[in-house]
Amino acid sequence: MSILDKIYNEIYLDEMPDTAEYCELRKKAFAVWEKAAPMLGMEFSDEVWNDLMTLNIFECRHDFKTGFCLGVQLMLEACSQPGEP
């Protein structure tokens, strides 16, 4: 496991936004899922939910790593530029 995976999985993953907008979006998403799950059946809805969560974590981890690398590149470039900070 890379250091960025370790940081993401052990530190970053647990940090969810605490904004009204995030809470409202999360509430709406769960409400929609609660309507859809009975139509899919318990076993299939669990399978779909687990696959969606796995995909979401993979995408978020990728975005985190990409953003981290971009941040490092920006800092290295900023430090290598001539002139005053």
Side-chain angles (χ1 to χ4, degrees), residues 38-69:
M39 293 180 220
L40 296 171
M42 190 57 121
E43 187 176 322
F44 187 61
S45 68
D46 284 347
E47 183 181 344
V48 171
W49 180 262
N50 290 335
D51 289 346
L52 286 172
M53 292 304 103
T54 300
L55 177 62
N56 181 263
I57 290 170
F58 183 87
E59 290 171 341
C60 289
R61 186 173 53 234
H62 175 268
D63 291 345
F64 172 81
K65 290 165 77 173
T66 302
F68 187 90
C69 291

